[in-house]
Amino acid sequence: MDNPVFKHIMNGDIEAYSGLYKEYYKRFYNYGRKFTTNTYLIEDSIQEVFLDLWKRREKLSHVDSPNFYLYSSFRYVLIRKIRQHEKMVFNQSADEDYEFSGEHVIVNNDLSEELQIKLQKAIKTLTGRQLEAIFLMYYEDLSYKEVASILNISVKATYKIMARSLLALKEKFTIFFVLFFV
Amino acid sequence: MNKEAISNRYLHFKESDFLTDSYFLEWVYRPSAELDAFWQQVINTVPQQKETIANARLYLENLSFVTHTPADEAITASWEKHLEQIQALPERKPAIRRILLRAAAVVAGAIVIGGTWFVLRSGNNSQLVARTGFGELKQVMLPDGSQVDLNANSKITYKDREVWLEGEALFNVKHINSKFLVHTKGLTVTVLGTVFDIRQRRSKTEIVLQSGKIRLSFANGREQDIIMKPGQIVSYNDKEEQSVTGNTSPEKFSAWKNQRLLLQDPKVSDILIYLEDNFGKKIIMEDPALNDRMVNGPILISSLDDALFVLSTVLNTEVIKRDSTTIVMRSRSEQ
């Protein structure tokens, strides 16, 4: 149990819990918006994850990484809700995969215009899962293993995804690197 | 890691390999003296990889994601909703409940006075919404025990003895030691235990007090508050931002509750506007002269057909349904 806040929650401390809720609300909102613009689904998912967390608070001592626990729950619930919603509204098949959207990737605009265009193009070749793996690892303080588990893929596959995505980037950038570093 | 191990591991790394290396990612994103030392050692051991490492760094440093930030109000509202949900769960230990109560007072303190919050809480949601369709009436019992008769085409949103009203409703407010507020477009009614009717249609809001005492406050800030007495009617036009106070019969004003329409000195045009607002149809009087006629006596408004039947008999017109949304009243020919 690495998170003291979790300990407070196990003891029923509402003030600590409020802080945790609000903190994760921001993070899950940010994460969830990469999948859907429907903020109601995000809100509902956050409510469901935390209601479940609260109900189980006395059994949380087995949770090694609260961050990981919350992220994997949230992703699971959100994707389920998006699926249900899409099925109801657009009659989409339930097997449709709902992915992290690449439109939210930003390329640093300190780069030259030429370089920015190249990086944009490279990003377009990445899959949603490849981007999501990067997002989670770089921004959400999760380990490789945890990301793999959240995305429901083996650790090996995570390495592959990372390698593939960055390889794709590298190929797009070969010319640039030649220019820049030679 | 010794030199040989480093060389074995990193000598043939490409940029993409570095970017999947957790040590490397940590070095870029969560730097520390230990990681600095390790990577300096790698560069010293395999200097031919210096450029590849620089490239990999550049990749990572120029890639980021849009940040979506929720509104502070959304976060607070979500937390409050969650807090209510967990409080509605069956209890396990009394100790937890005490803590919950204290925290609830902190969270809800801005809106609620004192410890009434738990008394008022009825279901899982603090915010209740009730609405009626065209031609539909509804009786709503609020969590605090107050009663609301909702006229057709109306909506109330309730939270902690505060109501936001669109349309018309008759309030019978339970008197407890806390304020009851009703907000409409342009004004707020503060209730001090009472029965009153608010009719907010188009740009006009009318309030009729049956019993008790209420205070009206206007959103424009220019009109003075009005303390109303039973039997008074205040009519406020939010385009002209002016209020007119007069006397009326509260029972007649709220006769809609019993599916009757009893307007004061009602012109045909007033009745037609009322019917349009409550039944959602456009009603056109072909002969404009008829619009100014007075029609006294109650009009049965259990349905639009009933109401129009009464009107057309009095006015000697026929009722023509032009399409699904428009009704025309045409004078019958003389013969």
Side-chain angles (χ1 to χ4, degrees):
Chain A
M1 180 61 56
D2 55 351
N3 188 332
V5 175
F6 250 50
K7 267 187 195 140
H8 290 304
I9 292 162
M10 285 159 65
N11 297 331
D13 181 340
I14 286 285
E15 309 244 348
Y17 186 46
S18 164
L20 185 90
Y21 187 94
K22 288 172 183 176
E23 163 69 18
Y24 274 93
Y25 190 96
K26 288 181 204 159
R27 292 167 70 170
F28 287 163
Y29 182 89
N30 185 30
Y31 183 34
R33 285 283 274 103
K34 308 296 183 286
F35 290 94
T36 179
T37 53
N38 189 332
T39 53
Y40 294 105
L41 295 178
I42 298 171
E43 160 76 25
D44 282 357
S45 303
I46 296 171
Q47 292 278 350
E48 189 172 323
V49 166
F50 276 87
L51 187 62
D52 185 62
L53 176 77
W54 181 260
K55 283 181 185 164
R56 292 189 200 193
R57 69 192 180 283
E58 279 148 21
K59 297 168 198 145
L60 288 177
S61 47
H62 71 280
V63 176
D64 293 328
S65 167
N67 197 32
F68 165 64
Y69 175 88
L70 288 168
Y71 267 94
S72 52
S73 311
F74 174 73
R75 187 186 197 277
Y76 177 81
V77 172
L78 180 67
I79 298 293
R80 173 164 52 76
K81 283 195 192 290
I82 293 174
R83 256 187 206 141
Q84 284 166 351
H85 180 77
E86 298 294 304
K87 196 180 176 190
M88 206 171 67
V89 179
F90 302 111
N91 204 21
Q92 294 273 15
S93 111
D95 305 325
E96 195 94 11
D97 209 6
Y98 295 97
E99 286 209 325
F100 194 92
S101 166
E103 70 189 80
H104 306 297
V105 177
I106 310 174
V107 172
N108 185 358
N109 59 15
D110 289 343
L111 290 176
S112 74
E113 200 177 326
E114 187 200 353
L115 202 58
Q116 285 187 44
I117 291 165
K118 278 181 185 162
L119 186 46
Q120 292 287 10
K121 270 188 188 165
I123 288 159
K124 284 208 178 81
T125 67
L126 302 182
T127 71
R129 277 190 180 230
Q130 288 168 336
L131 287 169
E132 190 180 355
I134 295 171
F135 177 86
L136 288 172
M137 266 180 256
Y138 294 1
Y139 294 91
E140 301 301 339
D141 221 6
L142 294 158
S143 73
Y144 269 104
K145 263 190 192 163
E146 289 170 342
V147 169
S149 183
I150 289 169
L151 299 180
N152 201 16
I153 43 183
S154 74
V155 175
K156 232 179 165 179
T158 316
Y159 276 93
K160 271 189 206 153
I161 280 176
M162 287 296 288
R164 254 208 320 258
S165 46
L166 295 158
L167 197 67
L169 276 176
K170 190 189 155 207
E171 279 160 10
K172 302 278 171 188
F173 270 82
T174 311
I175 296 167
F176 158 70
F177 281 113
V178 171
L179 290 175
F180 206 76
F181 288 103
V182 171
Chain B
M1 222 184 271
N2 62 34
K3 284 197 177 189
E4 199 188 339
I6 287 174
S7 180
N8 283 344
R9 182 170 166 83
Y10 292 111
L11 184 58
H12 300 292
F13 255 40
K14 300 186 193 101
E15 281 91 348
S16 56
D17 298 320
F18 278 112
L19 292 166
T20 59
D21 187 292
S22 57
Y23 280 124
F24 188 78
L25 290 179
E26 272 184 20
W27 183 44
V28 176
Y29 285 100
R30 292 156 215 154
S32 69
E34 195 191 328
L35 286 162
D36 280 347
F38 175 80
W39 284 98
Q40 196 50 58
Q41 197 193 344
V42 173
I43 291 166
N44 293 343
T45 313
V46 281
Q48 56 272 59
Q49 287 290 63
K50 190 178 177 180
E51 193 182 296
T52 314
I53 289 170
N55 292 355
R57 257 201 107 92
L58 198 81
Y59 278 138
L60 291 177
E61 284 167 353
N62 288 294
L63 231 173
S64 62
F65 296 84
V66 176
T67 304
H68 292 96
T69 312
D72 285 346
E73 301 84 67
I75 302 174
T76 309
S78 178
W79 163 248
E80 282 177 17
K81 189 177 164 198
H82 179 64
L83 188 62
E84 279 196 47
Q85 280 188 343
I86 61 177
Q87 281 163 348
L89 294 172
E91 278 189 47
R92 291 184 223 180
K93 291 177 196 167
I96 291 168
R97 187 57 154 197
R98 273 205 306 279
I99 298 160
L100 291 180
L101 275 164
R102 186 162 48 80
V106 173
V107 171
I111 318 157
V112 180
I113 298 149
T116 55
W117 198 73
F118 279 91
V119 184
L120 300 178
R121 181 172 58 72
S122 66
N124 283 345
N125 279 316
S126 60
Q127 188 162 301
L128 296 174
V129 178
R131 68 178 89 225
T132 49
F134 290 116
E136 185 193 2
L137 302 185
K138 218 179 238 178
Q139 282 200 316
V140 184
M141 178 71 85
L142 298 177
D144 70 335
S146 300
Q147 260 181 302
V148 181
D149 281 278
L150 206 52
N151 203 348
N153 180 28
S154 299
K155 179 186 166 194
I156 53 165
T157 306
Y158 172 89
K159 192 183 181 198
D160 302 328
R161 280 179 70 88
E162 255 188 300
V163 172
W164 288 262
L165 170 72
E166 291 162 37
E168 177 169 16
L170 179 71
F171 290 87
N172 191 341
V173 175
K174 178 102 173 169
H175 188 70
I176 58 173
N177 201 13
S178 121
K179 276 192 272 183
F180 189 98
L181 301 175
V182 183
H183 308 282
T184 72
K185 210 159 87 181
L187 66 84
T188 295
V189 180
T190 305
V191 179
L192 317 148
T194 197
V195 183
F196 65 101
D197 190 325
I198 306 187
R199 181 176 294 163
Q200 192 277 309
R201 298 292 191 193
R202 306 184 190 206
S203 58
K204 193 161 129 190
T205 303
E206 292 171 293
I207 297 107
V208 172
L209 182 61
Q210 267 187 31
S211 66
K213 200 167 140 189
I214 58 179
R215 183 175 66 226
L216 308 186
S217 331
F218 298 88
N220 67 19
R222 274 185 277 129
E223 296 268 315
Q224 288 223 316
D225 285 8
I226 297 172
I227 306 258
M228 284 181 71
K229 293 189 196 111
Q232 277 192 327
I233 175 169
V234 172
S235 178
Y236 176 74
N237 187 312
D238 67 36
K239 282 209 181 105
E240 295 154 20
E241 300 196 344
Q242 267 190 342
S243 68
V244 179
T245 308
N247 290 306
T248 190
S249 156
E251 288 73 25
K252 284 184 182 171
F253 190 85
S254 303
W256 57 266
K257 210 183 129 194
N258 302 312
Q259 306 198 314
R260 298 286 188 281
L261 180 60
L262 264 165
L263 298 175
Q264 199 170 27
D265 303 328
K267 286 198 295 189
V268 168
S269 57
D270 294 334
I271 295 169
L272 294 183
I273 284 172
Y274 184 94
L275 294 175
E276 284 186 354
D277 287 341
N278 284 269
F279 292 99
K281 306 272 191 226
K282 177 85 193 135
I283 306 169
I284 297 166
M285 181 61 80
E286 275 199 341
D287 177 2
L290 287 178
N291 271 328
D292 291 330
R293 285 263 299 269
M294 295 283 184
V295 179
N296 282 305
I299 294 171
L300 183 69
I301 50 168
S302 51
S303 75
L304 184 59
D305 281 345
D306 290 347
L308 291 177
F309 175 77
V310 172
L311 263 187
S312 58
T313 308
V314 172
L315 299 172
N316 194 29
T317 57
E318 50 184 336
V319 176
I320 300 154
K321 286 178 182 151
R322 186 192 280 170
D323 54 49
S324 62
T325 57
T326 315
I327 290 163
V328 177
M329 299 192 72
R330 176 175 297 161
S331 295
R332 284 180 208 275
S333 39
E334 290 299 312
Q335 66 274 25

